[in-house]
Amino acid sequence: MWGASALAMGMIATFPGMAFAQEGKTADDLSSHGAAQRIAQTGVSSKAKNVILFIGDGMGDSEITVARDYLKGASGSFDGLDAIGQPDALSADGETGTGQYTTYSLGSNSSNRGVVTPVTDSAASGSGWATGTKTYNNAVSVDVSQNPQMNLIELAKANGLATGNVTTAEIQDATPAVLESHSTQRSCYGPQGKTDGTMNNAAKNCDAAQLKENGGIGSISEQLLDTRADVTIGGGSKYFKQTAQAGEYAGKTLWEQAAARGFQTASNDVDAFSNLSYKKGKPVLALLSDGNMPTQYNMTPALSQKATEARGAVTCSTNSAWLGNKNSSGNSASLADMATKAVDLLSAQVSDKSSNTSGFFLQIEGASIDKQDHAANACGQIGETDDLDKAISATVASLKASGQLDDTLIIVTADHAHTSQIVSDAPAYALSTILKSPVDGSTIVVSYGTATSTDAGADDSSVGYTAGGMEHTGTQLRIAASGPGARRVTGLTDQTDNFYTIAKALGLA
Amino acid sequence: MWGASALAMGMIATFPGMAFAQEGKTADDLSSHGAAQRIAQTGVSSKAKNVILFIGDGMGDSEITVARDYLKGASGSFDGLDAIGQPDALSADGETGTGQYTTYSLGSNSSNRGVVTPVTDSAASGSGWATGTKTYNNAVSVDVSQNPQMNLIELAKANGLATGNVTTAEIQDATPAVLESHSTQRSCYGPQGKTDGTMNNAAKNCDAAQLKENGGIGSISEQLLDTRADVTIGGGSKYFKQTAQAGEYAGKTLWEQAAARGFQTASNDVDAFSNLSYKKGKPVLALLSDGNMPTQYNMTPALSQKATEARGAVTCSTNSAWLGNKNSSGNSASLADMATKAVDLLSAQVSDKSSNTSGFFLQIEGASIDKQDHAANACGQIGETDDLDKAISATVASLKASGQLDDTLIIVTADHAHTSQIVSDAPAYALSTILKSPVDGSTIVVSYGTATSTDAGADDSSVGYTAGGMEHTGTQLRIAASGPGARRVTGLTDQTDNFYTIAKALGLA
Ligand SMILES: [Mg+2]
Ligand SMILES: [Mg+2]
Ligand SMILES: [Zn+2]
Ligand SMILES: [Zn+2]
Ligand SMILES: [Zn+2]
Ligand SMILES: [Zn+2]
């Protein structure tokens, strides 16, 4: 299954899509490339020089509204997040579109093999837009039969575009991983598994056949170096301390391998990141924290009804460990800093005629909206939404300044929705946090009720659970776009349609 | 406050809207007519002959997806609900739009006076699109100072359009009431309050100043007869057994008053409803059940984790009391039957040149998606969503057959979102129901976690709560439109924008 022929490089044909009103397709019918498309026949033909895809992990409509109500007031708007897709917001008469999209995945384990899975994980979801193929939870750009599916960065590179991948998570986490690798398990971070190199967990975290020592294509981090995107910025630096077990770089750490292969690297160093500049043929790999990057706001874990009412309305405070705070050199690494750095690097490459790149494809992920929602942490998810919103605003401003805004398709969406709900009063049997908006003074009650197991060690034994373990939800969610091809997101689409929206705008399909 | 001058009839000026990126407006700033608009400046100028507004009460994106996953499979689409807004679905190259809209209301009680309320009720929400004015929960087309605001049926009638109001709820319920009346309290159903006429609860259910005996404009039902929409179809017949306490019809029941004023009436009689036809100057008032109309599907109340797992996956069954079932005469009153009857009656009126009507405005509500979601009843809300979907399909087919489809703006949206969430496993401390889709075989777990109080009399004392009392949520939700003016719903709008979208399409503003 890991043969190179499965990944023939070059133009990819547009698979004929399903009719609009299809009903009752089985997982088998949906599992081939392009088979889950809803809009294959729509005649939007606008071409973009660049595409930037912003993903808020877990950013359903409820998560957007929680953050807007708190940060902007219920009548306010996000400068970035809400401006994408809004008629006339970025430019008069520019193409825009907003719509809803479905995120379900396909069963492959013993309990759900062959049937649709209504709730996706980040891996299957990301694989959907990265490759156009619906797959199973845990899959990283492989199909339900574990065959690698060509992803958008591979496709863009093969067609002469510069490419970038930015995230606030570990760079090996599912959402960025789908654009840099193909893995049957999302946990196969490195040649020694999901470790910092002091032990070898590969047997537990990776399918044996995928490992280099067994003739496979290797772990997610090793494939990242093979895929060689022009710009990679995120967290997860500690996993590059692992040592290759086989191949040309056997015995070397992944950081050593990256340097040997000509990458410009920065590890946990905001100043080095800030000073990076385009150098022909030397891709950037900047990993700025050991694991996921610290959040913008401090935690406010949800509490039981009596406890949350006793705590009263809270406001959010900035986390001193957030890399978006200016350091002593005046540098910072908010998602806006990372996004504009990526746009600068890719734009410089495209401007360098000798690089033979005609535009770029860039994914930028606000990863921890999801992670903080899992932790029932209202301020956490709000701060990460703010970080993403500001990254969008800064990117738009940068593109405008360099005259590229009208040629760039910008898409904003999420991979799945999440637990948080805005309610009027603290619920009786779900955890909640009461917020007071510093902008319009309103009281916002955020409820978290989807954790699947109780916790014998819970602080409050009368409640029996803690603020962890909240789950994804399966609702359709917002997709918004501005720029050439943006109208293609109008109506009801599927996340696999997003692959075609991007590929068509860039002339790749 | 009930003076006639507050309701000057005729053209209504478009209030200048707020800038797109506004932040932090207070409730006072938002409370005047048009002040909460987000899109006042958008230049869509298409004109429609007719506008039909479909409302799914409580039909957030999660509720839509629950029903689609079950009824159509996750990869399927609703023939009606999903076709509105979908490019090329109704007609090639017709105008379409989809977007998200905000539903918050304004505080007016002692705990929230002067601040924004993140979670609306159906009354404030309906008042928003009916009048273009943000108001307080419990308000029926009056502003935060309790001044009546002209609604779309009044405005349409004053401008020579035929008008209709259809619901599966009691016709006095908030969503239909906002188009037929102005009431400071949504409970002021009749001159004797919210009763069947065997007692007088007006002192409890109505503000005294609003009652006719005190010189006011009267209860919701009495105003319905004054407003005199051309077609009114729904439930709530028993409230018309009340007796007017003052005015020209004092001492007569509301049914007697309706007959005396020239209405064609049908009460709890599906055959009489089916046989209704257009008669010039004789509006239709058909109330087909005492209260809310029976639901399509039988109830499946949500259970605690252990109980729902023990029950296993359920499928939905049809309620024998549903009026959509054919009776012995072969007649029925599904929402599709009611919707097409309304379209037929209004179209016949417009075709009658002597009626001097140039088109129509019609609202059609699927009311009990909300009511069944409050009851944590998954099959209930799914069946009501199906009923609404089929009403949309039937309406589109009827308009197409009569050559009116291209001239009609059809909008589908909701008044607020609701509790239900699609999760992967039964939650530990929220109630849930496990469904098995009869279409794609997938297992769908629906979680309900927002009830605000426990219940000492709960069946399961270890859980301590029952499947009632679930709450609205404050998330932004889907608005979709097809037909002239449909593009105006693109992007982020507010529910008050919907008033202007309809009024502009009909040339009323
Ligand atoms: Mg992610
Ligand atoms: Mg209603
Ligand atoms: Zn995710
Ligand atoms: Zn997650
Ligand atoms: Zn409602
Ligand atoms: Zn309700």
Side-chain angles (χ1 to χ4, degrees):
Chain A
M1 79 196 198
W2 296 112
S5 64
L7 270 177
M9 289 291 169
M11 295 290 279
I12 197 159
T14 302
F15 197 94
M18 303 168 74
F20 169 62
Q22 76 271 19
E23 296 188 11
K25 298 287 176 182
T26 65
D28 283 348
D29 291 337
L30 292 164
S31 64
S32 59
H33 179 68
Q37 285 179 88
R38 294 182 186 271
I39 54 163
Q41 315 307 336
T42 293
V44 177
S45 57
S46 326
K47 289 286 176 286
K49 181 183 165 204
N50 313 309
V51 173
I52 305 179
L53 173 63
F54 287 96
I55 299 289
D57 197 307
M59 188 179 70
D61 288 273
S62 187
E63 285 69 30
I64 292 172
T65 316
V66 167
R68 185 191 303 112
D69 281 2
Y70 179 83
L71 294 165
K72 308 293 177 183
S75 65
S77 305
F78 284 110
D79 285 339
L81 190 53
D82 287 331
I84 304 302
Q86 194 76 2
D88 304 333
L90 261 52
S91 62
D93 301 321
E95 192 176 336
T96 71
T98 48
Q100 288 74 32
Y101 97 173
T102 51
T103 69
Y104 65 92
S105 54
L106 303 180
S108 76
N109 66 33
S110 57
S111 73
N112 63 9
R113 184 178 302 277
V115 297
V116 164
T117 311
V119 183
T120 189
D121 79 341
S122 301
S125 180
S127 299
W129 73 74
T131 72
T133 305
K134 278 275 179 200
T135 189
Y136 62 95
N137 291 350
N138 201 26
V140 176
S141 291
V142 299
D143 70 9
V144 290
S145 303
Q146 307 194 331
N147 293 311
Q149 303 292 299
M150 184 183 284
N151 67 44
L152 281 168
I153 282 190
E154 293 167 325
L155 191 58
K157 279 183 72 89
N159 285 276
L161 297 173
T163 55
N165 198 4
V166 174
T167 181
T168 55
E170 296 167 343
I171 198 69
Q172 303 85 356
D173 199 18
T175 313
V178 296
L179 290 175
E180 65 206 15
S181 64
H182 308 273
S183 184
T184 55
Q185 297 189 43
R186 56 186 287 180
S187 57
C188 188
Y189 270 30
Q192 296 167 280
K194 195 168 174 176
T195 72
D196 64 0
T198 57
M199 63 177 85
N200 190 334
N201 278 348
K204 180 177 154 219
N205 298 140
C206 304
D207 273 2
Q210 189 179 323
L211 297 170
K212 291 228 184 224
E213 55 265 42
N214 299 322
I217 57 173
S219 66
I220 291 169
S221 295
E222 290 167 290
Q223 290 183 61
L224 181 161
L225 297 173
D226 293 339
T227 298
R228 205 177 177 86
D230 300 292
V231 176
T232 304
I233 307 173
S237 62
K238 70 181 176 192
Y239 304 106
F240 272 70
K241 295 180 182 170
Q242 292 184 44
T243 303
Q245 305 292 300
E248 187 178 349
Y249 303 96
K252 286 201 164 62
T253 70
L254 301 189
W255 279 124
E256 291 166 342
Q257 182 180 158
R261 297 175 78 172
F263 282 81
Q264 300 185 65
T265 62
S267 176
N268 296 17
D269 184 337
V270 169
D271 294 330
F273 155 76
S274 299
N275 293 328
L276 286 165
S277 61
Y278 167 68
K279 295 194 174 61
K280 185 178 171 185
K282 294 185 70 66
V284 159
L285 176 63
L287 304 183
L288 303 178
S289 61
D290 279 342
N292 299 317
M293 298 177 72
T295 58
Q296 179 175 187
Y297 288 161
N298 290 310
M299 290 195 72
T300 52
L303 304 172
S304 65
Q305 186 180 40
K306 283 198 177 66
T308 201
E309 287 171 353
R311 179 171 62 179
V314 300
T315 53
C316 305
S317 59
T318 300
N319 174 9
S320 60
W322 182 48
L323 297 182
N325 299 316
K326 297 260 183 240
N327 68 11
S328 54
S329 319
N331 291 319
S332 57
S334 68
L335 188 55
D337 294 320
M338 296 156 66
T340 50
K341 174 62 77 177
V343 170
D344 287 351
L345 290 165
L346 294 170
S347 299
Q349 179 171 342
V350 174
S351 297
D352 173 10
K353 299 281 177 233
S354 75
S355 77
N356 287 318
T357 46
S358 57
F360 63 82
F361 168 67
L362 169 62
Q363 177 177 293
I364 299 171
E365 184 199 20
S368 291
I369 302 167
D370 168 82
K371 295 176 196 307
Q372 299 308 310
D373 212 330
H374 278 299
N377 176 13
C379 280
Q381 72 180 68
I382 289 168
E384 298 310 283
T385 310
D386 183 56
D387 197 34
L388 177 63
D389 172 49
K390 291 188 169 133
I392 298 168
S393 296
T395 299
V396 167
S398 167
L399 292 168
K400 199 163 203 169
S402 63
Q404 297 185 91
L405 185 58
D406 291 347
D407 297 331
T408 302
L409 172 61
I410 304 176
I411 302 173
V412 179
T413 188
D415 57 344
H416 50 75
H418 223 295
T419 289
S420 61
Q421 294 182 296
I422 307 163
V423 292
S424 32
D425 297 285
Y429 50 92
L431 300 174
S432 61
T433 293
I434 303 170
L435 297 163
K436 189 179 176 71
S437 168
V439 174
D440 69 2
S442 63
T443 301
I444 307 154
V445 184
V446 185
S447 169
Y448 294 89
T450 65
T452 52
S453 58
T454 53
D455 178 357
D459 293 342
D460 181 346
S461 63
S462 76
V463 177
Y465 47 83
T466 50
M470 299 301 156
E471 302 279 323
H472 301 172
T473 72
T475 183
Q476 64 188 22
L477 47 78
R478 173 184 185 250
I479 180 167
S482 290
R487 280 185 301 131
R488 206 167 183 276
V489 309
T490 305
L492 180 70
T493 62
D494 180 72
Q495 60 190 173
T496 55
D497 286 302
N498 201 8
F499 171 85
Y500 291 96
T501 297
I502 295 168
K504 278 171 176 277
L506 291 172
L508 308 178
Chain B
M1 80 196 199
W2 295 112
S5 64
L7 269 178
M9 289 292 170
M11 296 289 279
I12 196 160
T14 303
F15 196 92
M18 302 169 73
F20 169 62
Q22 76 270 21
E23 294 188 12
K25 297 287 175 181
T26 65
D28 284 347
D29 291 336
L30 292 163
S31 64
S32 59
H33 179 68
Q37 285 180 86
R38 294 181 186 272
I39 53 163
Q41 316 308 338
T42 294
V44 176
S45 57
S46 325
K47 290 284 176 288
K49 181 184 165 205
N50 312 310
V51 173
I52 304 179
L53 172 63
F54 286 96
I55 298 290
D57 197 307
M59 188 179 70
D61 288 273
S62 187
E63 285 70 28
I64 292 172
T65 316
V66 167
R68 185 192 303 113
D69 283 1
Y70 179 84
L71 294 165
K72 308 292 177 184
S75 66
S77 305
F78 284 110
D79 285 339
L81 191 53
D82 287 331
I84 304 303
Q86 193 76 2
D88 303 332
L90 260 53
S91 63
D93 300 322
E95 191 177 336
T96 71
T98 48
Q100 288 74 32
Y101 96 172
T102 51
T103 69
Y104 65 92
S105 54
L106 303 180
S108 76
N109 65 34
S110 56
S111 73
N112 64 9
R113 183 179 301 276
V115 297
V116 164
T117 310
V119 184
T120 189
D121 79 340
S122 300
S125 180
S127 299
W129 74 72
T131 71
T133 305
K134 278 276 179 200
T135 189
Y136 62 94
N137 291 350
N138 200 26
V140 176
S141 290
V142 298
D143 70 9
V144 291
S145 303
Q146 306 194 332
N147 293 311
Q149 304 291 300
M150 185 183 283
N151 67 45
L152 280 168
I153 283 190
E154 292 166 327
L155 192 57
K157 278 183 72 89
N159 286 276
L161 297 173
T163 55
N165 198 4
V166 173
T167 181
T168 55
E170 297 167 341
I171 199 69
Q172 303 84 357
D173 201 17
T175 312
V178 296
L179 290 176
E180 64 207 14
S181 64
H182 309 273
S183 185
T184 55
Q185 297 190 43
R186 56 186 286 180
S187 56
C188 188
Y189 271 29
Q192 295 166 281
K194 195 168 174 176
T195 72
D196 64 0
T198 57
M199 63 176 85
N200 190 336
N201 279 347
K204 179 176 154 220
N205 298 141
C206 304
D207 272 2
Q210 189 179 325
L211 297 171
K212 292 228 184 222
E213 55 264 43
N214 300 322
I217 56 173
S219 66
I220 291 169
S221 295
E222 290 167 290
Q223 290 183 60
L224 181 161
L225 297 173
D226 292 339
T227 298
R228 206 175 176 89
D230 300 293
V231 176
T232 303
I233 307 173
S237 63
K238 70 180 175 193
Y239 304 106
F240 271 70
K241 295 179 183 172
Q242 293 184 43
T243 303
Q245 304 294 299
E248 187 178 350
Y249 302 97
K252 285 202 164 62
T253 71
L254 300 189
W255 279 123
E256 290 167 344
Q257 180 180 158
R261 297 176 77 171
F263 283 80
Q264 301 187 63
T265 62
S267 177
N268 296 17
D269 185 337
V270 169
D271 294 330
F273 154 77
S274 299
N275 292 329
L276 286 166
S277 61
Y278 167 68
K279 295 194 173 62
K280 185 177 172 187
K282 293 185 72 65
V284 159
L285 176 63
L287 304 182
L288 303 177
S289 60
D290 278 342
N292 299 317
M293 297 178 73
T295 58
Q296 179 175 186
Y297 287 161
N298 290 312
M299 289 196 73
T300 53
L303 304 173
S304 64
Q305 187 180 39
K306 283 197 176 67
T308 202
E309 287 170 353
R311 178 170 63 178
V314 301
T315 53
C316 305
S317 60
T318 300
N319 174 8
S320 60
W322 181 49
L323 297 182
N325 298 316
K326 297 260 183 242
N327 67 12
S328 54
S329 318
N331 291 318
S332 56
S334 67
L335 188 55
D337 293 320
M338 296 156 66
T340 50
K341 173 62 76 177
V343 169
D344 287 350
L345 290 166
L346 294 170
S347 300
Q349 179 170 343
V350 173
S351 297
D352 172 10
K353 298 284 177 233
S354 74
S355 78
N356 288 317
T357 47
S358 57
F360 63 81
F361 168 66
L362 169 62
Q363 177 176 293
I364 299 171
E365 184 198 21
S368 291
I369 302 167
D370 168 82
K371 295 175 197 306
Q372 299 309 310
D373 212 330
H374 279 298
N377 175 13
C379 281
Q381 71 180 67
I382 289 168
E384 298 310 284
T385 310
D386 183 55
D387 196 34
L388 176 63
D389 172 50
K390 292 190 168 131
I392 298 168
S393 296
T395 299
V396 167
S398 169
L399 292 168
K400 199 163 202 170
S402 62
Q404 297 185 91
L405 185 58
D406 291 346
D407 296 332
T408 303
L409 171 62
I410 304 176
I411 302 173
V412 179
T413 188
D415 57 345
H416 50 76
H418 223 296
T419 290
S420 61
Q421 294 182 297
I422 307 163
V423 292
S424 31
D425 297 285
Y429 51 92
L431 301 174
S432 62
T433 293
I434 304 171
L435 297 163
K436 188 177 176 71
S437 168
V439 174
D440 70 2
S442 62
T443 302
I444 307 154
V445 184
V446 185
S447 169
Y448 294 89
T450 65
T452 53
S453 58
T454 52
D455 178 357
D459 292 341
D460 180 346
S461 63
S462 76
V463 177
Y465 47 83
T466 49
M470 300 300 156
E471 303 279 321
H472 301 172
T473 72
T475 183
Q476 64 188 22
L477 47 77
R478 173 184 186 251
I479 180 166
S482 291
R487 281 186 299 131
R488 207 168 182 277
V489 310
T490 306
L492 180 70
T493 62
D494 180 72
Q495 59 189 174
T496 55
D497 286 301
N498 201 8
F499 171 85
Y500 291 95
T501 297
I502 295 167
K504 278 172 176 278
L506 290 172
L508 309 177

